[in-house]
Amino acid sequence: MLNKVILMGRLTRDPELRYTQSNIPVVSFSLAVDRNYRSKTDNQSQADFINCVAWRQTAEFVSKWFAKGRMMVVVGTLQSRRYQDKNGENRTAMEVIADEVFFGDSKRPDDDGSRFASQPGEGSPFTRFEPSPAAPPDFGSEFPDSGFAELEDDDELPF
């Protein structure tokens, strides 16, 4: 049997970090996930609001690096749980248990940087890739004993 959920959406509120009695971190958050179609009457996209929960290091990561409005990718499992409401009625809640969480966007331009560090080495999970304007490296000289030889002509290829 298979139970795997992959979602990409925006946080509807700041994540809420709590700790169990055993001091295990748990965070709850909600994602607004757009549907793939628009309403025919007003051409508006529809969204589903999906409750998610993350535990331990994932919970601490979400709490530290994500805030309301941030795009997030969640990989996890769908879980149902039963509970009784204030009136004693039996209820069922569906939520995604997040096993993996990724950034769905880059740092927002309107962000002052106080919540998201922008330079590598500042505790940020972001790594900035800046291609070098120099010529590409000569891998042949870098790995002289690789066992590969440069072909003079494409006619030497066996296919």
Side-chain angles (χ1 to χ4, degrees), residues 52-70:
C52 302
V53 176
W55 293 84
R56 296 178 175 76
Q57 290 88 359
T58 306
E60 292 173 334
F61 176 76
V62 168
S63 175
K64 181 176 181 179
W65 296 105
F66 289 90
K68 179 181 177 178
R70 191 77 198 255

Side-chain angles (χ1 to χ4, degrees), residues 83-92:
Y83 67 97
Q84 285 189 345
D85 66 9
K86 296 182 231 178
N87 301 328
E89 300 281 331
N90 290 331
R91 301 283 183 185
T92 302

Side-chain angles (χ1 to χ4, degrees), residues 10-83:
R10 294 204 179 270
L11 284 163
T12 62
R13 55 184 159 81
D14 286 339
E16 299 172 21
L17 181 65
R18 299 180 313 278
Y19 291 87
T20 65
Q21 291 177 350
S22 305
N23 206 31
I24 297 171
V26 58
V27 69
S28 57
F29 54 94
S30 178
L31 286 181
V33 179
D34 287 339
R35 294 184 183 171
N36 288 337
Y37 62 89
R38 294 182 175 274
S39 169
K40 290 180 182 179
T41 57
D42 57 4
N43 200 27
Q44 293 291 319
S45 63
Q46 302 292 314
D48 292 303
F49 298 90
I50 300 172
N51 293 323
C52 302
V53 176
W55 293 84
R56 296 178 175 76
Q57 290 88 359
T58 306
E60 292 173 334
F61 176 76
V62 168
S63 175
K64 181 176 181 179
W65 296 105
F66 289 90
K68 179 181 177 178
R70 191 77 198 255
M71 183 73 73
M72 176 188 277
V73 177
V74 174
V75 178
T77 57
L78 185 63
Q79 181 175 300
S80 65
R81 62 182 169 84
R82 295 173 187 237
Y83 67 97

